[in-house]
Amino acid sequence: MAGSGHVRHVRKEKQRAEVVQLYDHALPDLHRLLAQKLGNAEEAREVAQDTFERLLRQAEREDIRDVRRLAFTVANRLALDVLRRRRVKVRYLHQQGLASDEAATGDDPERVSMGREQLLAVQRALTALPEKTRHVFLLHRFESYTYIEIARQLGLSQKSIEYHMNRALTAVTAAVDQRP
């Protein structure tokens, strides 16, 4: 039995080494592909970094047959998540803009102005959140994912998802409650 544990440990070390080697050699190609897909070099760097972090975690848990292929698959999925979050954000802002336009047809320009200020405050609060917290919030509030679904997708515990949601809701509530 002791021998099989040693073999697993050696295999995990080998896979970690493969991930690190891939990071050293494939990062420029992966970053270029992601930058092209996302149209944003900074987001591409973040997605590439997240990709390799996930690969290292996965190498700890299980055998990976083709590290390079998995890296590009994970990166592609993460990039699609970024693009989906963008669409959700645009849709949200559009809906809020329409709500402001509807309110603008009313008689109270001060109320419309306050609504716009609150919207900007919420946008700033969401932008200031850490990426993971913002991602959890957007998945739950705008994609209607459950905490369990988000936990599975991000490889986190349900408690961690609750933490991120509480953090996001606290920030958004504080932004709305602030008076100019």
Side-chain angles (χ1 to χ4, degrees):
M1 273 300 193
S4 68
H6 176 70
V7 169
R8 274 194 303 271
H9 177 72
V10 169
R11 214 172 30 231
K12 285 182 184 179
E13 286 296 322
K14 183 180 178 222
Q15 282 202 327
R16 271 185 253 146
E18 284 181 52
V19 171
V20 170
Q21 183 180 16
L22 181 65
Y23 180 84
D24 292 341
H25 292 96
L27 184 62
D29 292 337
L30 185 62
H31 182 261
R32 193 170 27 262
L33 175 76
L34 289 167
Q36 191 174 23
K37 184 176 213 107
L38 297 171
N40 182 310
E42 183 59 34
E43 281 180 318
R45 270 191 288 284
E46 289 177 20
V47 169
Q49 192 65 37
D50 287 348
T51 297
F52 284 100
E53 288 173 15
R54 286 179 185 217
L55 283 176
L56 284 171
R57 283 195 307 266
Q58 190 165 347
E60 286 291 320
R61 293 188 314 263
E62 61 189 73
D63 288 338
I64 302 172
R65 282 193 232 171
D66 186 344
V67 175
R68 182 180 177 86
R69 186 166 144 189
L70 182 60
F72 281 84
T73 299
V74 168
N76 187 52
R77 287 181 182 155
L78 290 173
L80 290 174
D81 285 346
V82 168
L83 294 171
R84 185 174 354 107
R85 282 193 309 272
R86 277 189 202 162
R87 281 193 309 273
V88 167
K89 183 178 179 182
V90 167
R91 193 168 51 230
Y92 170 75
L93 295 176
H94 180 70
Q95 288 170 347
Q96 294 304 314
L98 289 177
S100 294
D101 290 344
E102 290 169 5
T105 62
D107 296 333
D108 191 358
E110 185 176 328
R111 194 182 84 194
V112 171
S113 177
M114 285 178 56
R116 286 188 179 139
E117 287 174 17
Q118 282 185 332
L119 176 60
L120 289 172
V122 169
Q123 289 171 332
R124 283 192 298 272
L126 288 174
T127 302
L129 289 172
E131 175 64 27
K132 191 177 291 183
T133 301
R134 185 173 50 250
H135 187 183
V136 167
F137 179 80
L138 292 173
L139 285 174
H140 183 66
R141 290 296 179 154
F142 299 104
E143 293 289 325
S144 301
Y145 281 65
T146 65
Y147 285 11
I148 293 171
E149 291 169 332
I150 297 168
R152 284 187 192 131
Q153 181 178 347
L154 300 180
L156 300 170
S157 69
Q158 189 171 339
K159 285 282 187 200
S160 181
I161 300 306
E162 290 170 8
Y163 164 81
H164 287 291
M165 278 302 296
N166 284 333
R167 188 174 183 184
L169 289 170
T170 299
V172 169
T173 302
V176 170
D177 289 344
Q178 286 180 344
R179 299 287 177 224

mmCIF file with all atom_site columns, all heavy atoms in Angstrom, residues 146-163:
data_model
loop_
_atom_site.group_PDB
_atom_site.id
_atom_site.type_symbol
_atom_site.label_atom_id
_atom_site.label_alt_id
_atom_site.label_comp_id
_atom_site.label_asym_id
_atom_site.label_entity_id
_atom_site.label_seq_id
_atom_site.pdbx_PDB_ins_code
_atom_site.Cartn_x
_atom_site.Cartn_y
_atom_site.Cartn_z
_atom_site.occupancy
_atom_site.B_iso_or_equiv
_atom_site.pdbx_formal_charge
_atom_site.auth_seq_id
_atom_site.auth_comp_id
_atom_site.auth_asym_id
_atom_site.auth_atom_id
_atom_site.pdbx_PDB_model_num
ATOM 1   N N   . THR A 1 146 ? -27.826 28.993 -9.153  1.00 0.00 ? 146 THR A N   1
ATOM 2   C CA  . THR A 1 146 ? -27.950 28.772 -7.709  1.00 0.00 ? 146 THR A CA  1
ATOM 3   C C   . THR A 1 146 ? -26.559 28.785 -7.101  1.00 0.00 ? 146 THR A C   1
ATOM 4   O O   . THR A 1 146 ? -25.546 28.665 -7.814  1.00 0.00 ? 146 THR A O   1
ATOM 5   C CB  . THR A 1 146 ? -28.598 27.406 -7.410  1.00 0.00 ? 146 THR A CB  1
ATOM 6   O OG1 . THR A 1 146 ? -27.724 26.369 -7.854  1.00 0.00 ? 146 THR A OG1 1
ATOM 7   C CG2 . THR A 1 146 ? -29.969 27.279 -8.080  1.00 0.00 ? 146 THR A CG2 1
ATOM 8   N N   . TYR A 1 147 ? -26.495 28.902 -5.787  1.00 0.00 ? 147 TYR A N   1
ATOM 9   C CA  . TYR A 1 147 ? -25.201 28.867 -5.103  1.00 0.00 ? 147 TYR A CA  1
ATOM 10  C C   . TYR A 1 147 ? -24.476 27.555 -5.399  1.00 0.00 ? 147 TYR A C   1
ATOM 11  O O   . TYR A 1 147 ? -23.264 27.543 -5.623  1.00 0.00 ? 147 TYR A O   1
ATOM 12  C CB  . TYR A 1 147 ? -25.375 29.023 -3.594  1.00 0.00 ? 147 TYR A CB  1
ATOM 13  C CG  . TYR A 1 147 ? -25.693 30.423 -3.114  1.00 0.00 ? 147 TYR A CG  1
ATOM 14  C CD1 . TYR A 1 147 ? -26.038 31.446 -3.992  1.00 0.00 ? 147 TYR A CD1 1
ATOM 15  C CD2 . TYR A 1 147 ? -25.654 30.722 -1.765  1.00 0.00 ? 147 TYR A CD2 1
ATOM 16  C CE1 . TYR A 1 147 ? -26.331 32.721 -3.540  1.00 0.00 ? 147 TYR A CE1 1
ATOM 17  C CE2 . TYR A 1 147 ? -25.945 31.996 -1.301  1.00 0.00 ? 147 TYR A CE2 1
ATOM 18  C CZ  . TYR A 1 147 ? -26.279 32.985 -2.194  1.00 0.00 ? 147 TYR A CZ  1
ATOM 19  O OH  . TYR A 1 147 ? -26.551 34.246 -1.734  1.00 0.00 ? 147 TYR A OH  1
ATOM 20  N N   . ILE A 1 148 ? -25.215 26.465 -5.413  1.00 0.00 ? 148 ILE A N   1
ATOM 21  C CA  . ILE A 1 148 ? -24.599 25.152 -5.667  1.00 0.00 ? 148 ILE A CA  1
ATOM 22  C C   . ILE A 1 148 ? -24.027 25.103 -7.083  1.00 0.00 ? 148 ILE A C   1
ATOM 23  O O   . ILE A 1 148 ? -22.908 24.622 -7.293  1.00 0.00 ? 148 ILE A O   1
ATOM 24  C CB  . ILE A 1 148 ? -25.619 24.015 -5.436  1.00 0.00 ? 148 ILE A CB  1
ATOM 25  C CG1 . ILE A 1 148 ? -25.972 23.940 -3.943  1.00 0.00 ? 148 ILE A CG1 1
ATOM 26  C CG2 . ILE A 1 148 ? -25.093 22.684 -5.937  1.00 0.00 ? 148 ILE A CG2 1
ATOM 27  C CD1 . ILE A 1 148 ? -27.129 23.016 -3.621  1.00 0.00 ? 148 ILE A CD1 1
ATOM 28  N N   . GLU A 1 149 ? -24.776 25.620 -8.060  1.00 0.00 ? 149 GLU A N   1
ATOM 29  C CA  . GLU A 1 149 ? -24.289 25.624 -9.445  1.00 0.00 ? 149 GLU A CA  1
ATOM 30  C C   . GLU A 1 149 ? -23.031 26.486 -9.577  1.00 0.00 ? 149 GLU A C   1
ATOM 31  O O   . GLU A 1 149 ? -22.078 26.108 -10.271 1.00 0.00 ? 149 GLU A O   1
ATOM 32  C CB  . GLU A 1 149 ? -25.371 26.146 -10.394 1.00 0.00 ? 149 GLU A CB  1
ATOM 33  C CG  . GLU A 1 149 ? -26.546 25.205 -10.547 1.00 0.00 ? 149 GLU A CG  1
ATOM 34  C CD  . GLU A 1 149 ? -27.736 25.832 -11.269 1.00 0.00 ? 149 GLU A CD  1
ATOM 35  O OE1 . GLU A 1 149 ? -27.906 27.080 -11.208 1.00 0.00 ? 149 GLU A OE1 1
ATOM 36  O OE2 . GLU A 1 149 ? -28.506 25.082 -11.887 1.00 0.00 ? 149 GLU A OE2 1
ATOM 37  N N   . ILE A 1 150 ? -23.030 27.626 -8.920  1.00 0.00 ? 150 ILE A N   1
ATOM 38  C CA  . ILE A 1 150 ? -21.857 28.507 -8.976  1.00 0.00 ? 150 ILE A CA  1
ATOM 39  C C   . ILE A 1 150 ? -20.673 27.827 -8.318  1.00 0.00 ? 150 ILE A C   1
ATOM 40  O O   . ILE A 1 150 ? -19.552 27.862 -8.842  1.00 0.00 ? 150 ILE A O   1
ATOM 41  C CB  . ILE A 1 150 ? -22.154 29.863 -8.301  1.00 0.00 ? 150 ILE A CB  1
ATOM 42  C CG1 . ILE A 1 150 ? -23.276 30.597 -9.042  1.00 0.00 ? 150 ILE A CG1 1
ATOM 43  C CG2 . ILE A 1 150 ? -20.897 30.730 -8.259  1.00 0.00 ? 150 ILE A CG2 1
ATOM 44  C CD1 . ILE A 1 150 ? -23.830 31.804 -8.296  1.00 0.00 ? 150 ILE A CD1 1
ATOM 45  N N   . ALA A 1 151 ? -20.905 27.194 -7.180  1.00 0.00 ? 151 ALA A N   1
ATOM 46  C CA  . ALA A 1 151 ? -19.826 26.498 -6.467  1.00 0.00 ? 151 ALA A CA  1
ATOM 47  C C   . ALA A 1 151 ? -19.201 25.427 -7.360  1.00 0.00 ? 151 ALA A C   1
ATOM 48  O O   . ALA A 1 151 ? -17.972 25.320 -7.452  1.00 0.00 ? 151 ALA A O   1
ATOM 49  C CB  . ALA A 1 151 ? -20.358 25.881 -5.175  1.00 0.00 ? 151 ALA A CB  1
ATOM 50  N N   . ARG A 1 152 ? -20.039 24.662 -8.032  1.00 0.00 ? 152 ARG A N   1
ATOM 51  C CA  . ARG A 1 152 ? -19.518 23.612 -8.934  1.00 0.00 ? 152 ARG A CA  1
ATOM 52  C C   . ARG A 1 152 ? -18.729 24.220 -10.085 1.00 0.00 ? 152 ARG A C   1
ATOM 53  O O   . ARG A 1 152 ? -17.647 23.763 -10.425 1.00 0.00 ? 152 ARG A O   1
ATOM 54  C CB  . ARG A 1 152 ? -20.668 22.771 -9.488  1.00 0.00 ? 152 ARG A CB  1
ATOM 55  C CG  . ARG A 1 152 ? -21.220 21.791 -8.507  1.00 0.00 ? 152 ARG A CG  1
ATOM 56  C CD  . ARG A 1 152 ? -22.234 20.869 -9.163  1.00 0.00 ? 152 ARG A CD  1
ATOM 57  N NE  . ARG A 1 152 ? -22.956 20.133 -8.158  1.00 0.00 ? 152 ARG A NE  1
ATOM 58  C CZ  . ARG A 1 152 ? -24.271 20.005 -8.108  1.00 0.00 ? 152 ARG A CZ  1
ATOM 59  N NH1 . ARG A 1 152 ? -25.020 20.530 -9.055  1.00 0.00 ? 152 ARG A NH1 1
ATOM 60  N NH2 . ARG A 1 152 ? -24.848 19.336 -7.151  1.00 0.00 ? 152 ARG A NH2 1
ATOM 61  N N   . GLN A 1 153 ? -19.287 25.254 -10.689 1.00 0.00 ? 153 GLN A N   1
ATOM 62  C CA  . GLN A 1 153 ? -18.640 25.869 -11.851 1.00 0.00 ? 153 GLN A CA  1
ATOM 63  C C   . GLN A 1 153 ? -17.284 26.460 -11.490 1.00 0.00 ? 153 GLN A C   1
ATOM 64  O O   . GLN A 1 153 ? -16.331 26.355 -12.252 1.00 0.00 ? 153 GLN A O   1
ATOM 65  C CB  . GLN A 1 153 ? -19.526 26.957 -12.445 1.00 0.00 ? 153 GLN A CB  1
ATOM 66  C CG  . GLN A 1 153 ? -18.912 27.617 -13.661 1.00 0.00 ? 153 GLN A CG  1
ATOM 67  C CD  . GLN A 1 153 ? -19.803 28.666 -14.287 1.00 0.00 ? 153 GLN A CD  1
ATOM 68  O OE1 . GLN A 1 153 ? -20.976 28.760 -13.986 1.00 0.00 ? 153 GLN A OE1 1
ATOM 69  N NE2 . GLN A 1 153 ? -19.252 29.449 -15.174 1.00 0.00 ? 153 GLN A NE2 1
ATOM 70  N N   . LEU A 1 154 ? -17.192 27.093 -10.318 1.00 0.00 ? 154 LEU A N   1
ATOM 71  C CA  . LEU A 1 154 ? -15.950 27.767 -9.939  1.00 0.00 ? 154 LEU A CA  1
ATOM 72  C C   . LEU A 1 154 ? -15.029 26.906 -9.091  1.00 0.00 ? 154 LEU A C   1
ATOM 73  O O   . LEU A 1 154 ? -13.933 27.331 -8.749  1.00 0.00 ? 154 LEU A O   1
ATOM 74  C CB  . LEU A 1 154 ? -16.276 29.068 -9.190  1.00 0.00 ? 154 LEU A CB  1
ATOM 75  C CG  . LEU A 1 154 ? -17.094 30.097 -9.971  1.00 0.00 ? 154 LEU A CG  1
ATOM 76  C CD1 . LEU A 1 154 ? -17.335 31.334 -9.120  1.00 0.00 ? 154 LEU A CD1 1
ATOM 77  C CD2 . LEU A 1 154 ? -16.418 30.457 -11.277 1.00 0.00 ? 154 LEU A CD2 1
ATOM 78  N N   . GLY A 1 155 ? -15.489 25.712 -8.723  1.00 0.00 ? 155 GLY A N   1
ATOM 79  C CA  . GLY A 1 155 ? -14.664 24.840 -7.904  1.00 0.00 ? 155 GLY A CA  1
ATOM 80  C C   . GLY A 1 155 ? -14.498 25.360 -6.482  1.00 0.00 ? 155 GLY A C   1
ATOM 81  O O   . GLY A 1 155 ? -13.439 25.216 -5.889  1.00 0.00 ? 155 GLY A O   1
ATOM 82  N N   . LEU A 1 156 ? -15.556 25.985 -5.959  1.00 0.00 ? 156 LEU A N   1
ATOM 83  C CA  . LEU A 1 156 ? -15.524 26.537 -4.605  1.00 0.00 ? 156 LEU A CA  1
ATOM 84  C C   . LEU A 1 156 ? -16.577 25.843 -3.754  1.00 0.00 ? 156 LEU A C   1
ATOM 85  O O   . LEU A 1 156 ? -17.466 25.172 -4.266  1.00 0.00 ? 156 LEU A O   1
ATOM 86  C CB  . LEU A 1 156 ? -15.820 28.042 -4.645  1.00 0.00 ? 156 LEU A CB  1
ATOM 87  C CG  . LEU A 1 156 ? -14.866 28.913 -5.453  1.00 0.00 ? 156 LEU A CG  1
ATOM 88  C CD1 . LEU A 1 156 ? -15.430 30.320 -5.585  1.00 0.00 ? 156 LEU A CD1 1
ATOM 89  C CD2 . LEU A 1 156 ? -13.499 28.941 -4.796  1.00 0.00 ? 156 LEU A CD2 1
ATOM 90  N N   . SER A 1 157 ? -16.507 26.062 -2.449  1.00 0.00 ? 157 SER A N   1
ATOM 91  C CA  . SER A 1 157 ? -17.528 25.524 -1.559  1.00 0.00 ? 157 SER A CA  1
ATOM 92  C C   . SER A 1 157 ? -18.747 26.440 -1.581  1.00 0.00 ? 157 SER A C   1
ATOM 93  O O   . SER A 1 157 ? -18.658 27.615 -1.945  1.00 0.00 ? 157 SER A O   1
ATOM 94  C CB  . SER A 1 157 ? -16.987 25.420 -0.136  1.00 0.00 ? 157 SER A CB  1
ATOM 95  O OG  . SER A 1 157 ? -16.808 26.723 0.407   1.00 0.00 ? 157 SER A OG  1
ATOM 96  N N   . GLN A 1 158 ? -19.875 25.902 -1.140  1.00 0.00 ? 158 GLN A N   1
ATOM 97  C CA  . GLN A 1 158 ? -21.087 26.702 -1.078  1.00 0.00 ? 158 GLN A CA  1
ATOM 98  C C   . GLN A 1 158 ? -20.911 27.829 -0.058  1.00 0.00 ? 158 GLN A C   1
ATOM 99  O O   . GLN A 1 158 ? -21.395 28.935 -0.268  1.00 0.00 ? 158 GLN A O   1
ATOM 100 C CB  . GLN A 1 158 ? -22.283 25.830 -0.723  1.00 0.00 ? 158 GLN A CB  1
ATOM 101 C CG  . GLN A 1 158 ? -23.591 26.573 -0.856  1.00 0.00 ? 158 GLN A CG  1
ATOM 102 C CD  . GLN A 1 158 ? -24.804 25.676 -0.724  1.00 0.00 ? 158 GLN A CD  1
ATOM 103 O OE1 . GLN A 1 158 ? -24.718 24.472 -0.901  1.00 0.00 ? 158 GLN A OE1 1
ATOM 104 N NE2 . GLN A 1 158 ? -25.935 26.265 -0.405  1.00 0.00 ? 158 GLN A NE2 1
ATOM 105 N N   . LYS A 1 159 ? -20.189 27.568 1.025   1.00 0.00 ? 159 LYS A N   1
ATOM 106 C CA  . LYS A 1 159 ? -19.916 28.604 2.031   1.00 0.00 ? 159 LYS A CA  1
ATOM 107 C C   . LYS A 1 159 ? -19.133 29.757 1.408   1.00 0.00 ? 159 LYS A C   1
ATOM 108 O O   . LYS A 1 159 ? -19.366 30.918 1.719   1.00 0.00 ? 159 LYS A O   1
ATOM 109 C CB  . LYS A 1 159 ? -19.132 28.026 3.219   1.00 0.00 ? 159 LYS A CB  1
ATOM 110 C CG  . LYS A 1 159 ? -19.968 27.198 4.142   1.00 0.00 ? 159 LYS A CG  1
ATOM 111 C CD  . LYS A 1 159 ? -20.774 28.110 5.021   1.00 0.00 ? 159 LYS A CD  1
ATOM 112 C CE  . LYS A 1 159 ? -21.488 27.305 6.077   1.00 0.00 ? 159 LYS A CE  1
ATOM 113 N NZ  . LYS A 1 159 ? -22.601 28.031 6.634   1.00 0.00 ? 159 LYS A NZ  1
ATOM 114 N N   . SER A 1 160 ? -18.203 29.422 0.531   1.00 0.00 ? 160 SER A N   1
ATOM 115 C CA  . SER A 1 160 ? -17.413 30.451 -0.142  1.00 0.00 ? 160 SER A CA  1
ATOM 116 C C   . SER A 1 160 ? -18.307 31.306 -1.039  1.00 0.00 ? 160 SER A C   1
ATOM 117 O O   . SER A 1 160 ? -18.162 32.534 -1.087  1.00 0.00 ? 160 SER A O   1
ATOM 118 C CB  . SER A 1 160 ? -16.300 29.798 -0.963  1.00 0.00 ? 160 SER A CB  1
ATOM 119 O OG  . SER A 1 160 ? -15.525 30.769 -1.598  1.00 0.00 ? 160 SER A OG  1
ATOM 120 N N   . ILE A 1 161 ? -19.256 30.674 -1.717  1.00 0.00 ? 161 ILE A N   1
ATOM 121 C CA  . ILE A 1 161 ? -20.191 31.410 -2.570  1.00 0.00 ? 161 ILE A CA  1
ATOM 122 C C   . ILE A 1 161 ? -21.034 32.341 -1.702  1.00 0.00 ? 161 ILE A C   1
ATOM 123 O O   . ILE A 1 161 ? -21.253 33.510 -2.055  1.00 0.00 ? 161 ILE A O   1
ATOM 124 C CB  . ILE A 1 161 ? -21.090 30.455 -3.381  1.00 0.00 ? 161 ILE A CB  1
ATOM 125 C CG1 . ILE A 1 161 ? -20.238 29.548 -4.281  1.00 0.00 ? 161 ILE A CG1 1
ATOM 126 C CG2 . ILE A 1 161 ? -22.127 31.230 -4.190  1.00 0.00 ? 161 ILE A CG2 1
ATOM 127 C CD1 . ILE A 1 161 ? -19.275 30.244 -5.210  1.00 0.00 ? 161 ILE A CD1 1
ATOM 128 N N   . GLU A 1 162 ? -21.491 31.854 -0.556  1.00 0.00 ? 162 GLU A N   1
ATOM 129 C CA  . GLU A 1 162 ? -22.273 32.691 0.367   1.00 0.00 ? 162 GLU A CA  1
ATOM 130 C C   . GLU A 1 162 ? -21.439 33.894 0.816   1.00 0.00 ? 162 GLU A C   1
ATOM 131 O O   . GLU A 1 162 ? -21.952 35.018 0.882   1.00 0.00 ? 162 GLU A O   1
ATOM 132 C CB  . GLU A 1 162 ? -22.717 31.870 1.575   1.00 0.00 ? 162 GLU A CB  1
ATOM 133 C CG  . GLU A 1 162 ? -23.764 30.830 1.233   1.00 0.00 ? 162 GLU A CG  1
ATOM 134 C CD  . GLU A 1 162 ? -24.031 29.854 2.361   1.00 0.00 ? 162 GLU A CD  1
ATOM 135 O OE1 . GLU A 1 162 ? -23.525 30.052 3.492   1.00 0.00 ? 162 GLU A OE1 1
ATOM 136 O OE2 . GLU A 1 162 ? -24.758 28.868 2.121   1.00 0.00 ? 162 GLU A OE2 1
ATOM 137 N N   . TYR A 1 163 ? -20.168 33.650 1.119   1.00 0.00 ? 163 TYR A N   1
ATOM 138 C CA  . TYR A 1 163 ? -19.275 34.736 1.531   1.00 0.00 ? 163 TYR A CA  1
ATOM 139 C C   . TYR A 1 163 ? -19.186 35.803 0.438   1.00 0.00 ? 163 TYR A C   1
ATOM 140 O O   . TYR A 1 163 ? -19.341 36.995 0.695   1.00 0.00 ? 163 TYR A O   1
ATOM 141 C CB  . TYR A 1 163 ? -17.881 34.186 1.855   1.00 0.00 ? 163 TYR A CB  1
ATOM 142 C CG  . TYR A 1 163 ? -16.822 35.252 1.909   1.00 0.00 ? 163 TYR A CG  1
ATOM 143 C CD1 . TYR A 1 163 ? -16.663 36.032 3.051   1.00 0.00 ? 163 TYR A CD1 1
ATOM 144 C CD2 . TYR A 1 163 ? -15.998 35.495 0.816   1.00 0.00 ? 163 TYR A CD2 1
ATOM 145 C CE1 . TYR A 1 163 ? -15.709 37.029 3.104   1.00 0.00 ? 163 TYR A CE1 1
ATOM 146 C CE2 . TYR A 1 163 ? -15.037 36.495 0.860   1.00 0.00 ? 163 TYR A CE2 1
ATOM 147 C CZ  . TYR A 1 163 ? -14.891 37.251 2.003   1.00 0.00 ? 163 TYR A CZ  1
ATOM 148 O OH  . TYR A 1 163 ? -13.949 38.250 2.043   1.00 0.00 ? 163 TYR A OH  1
#
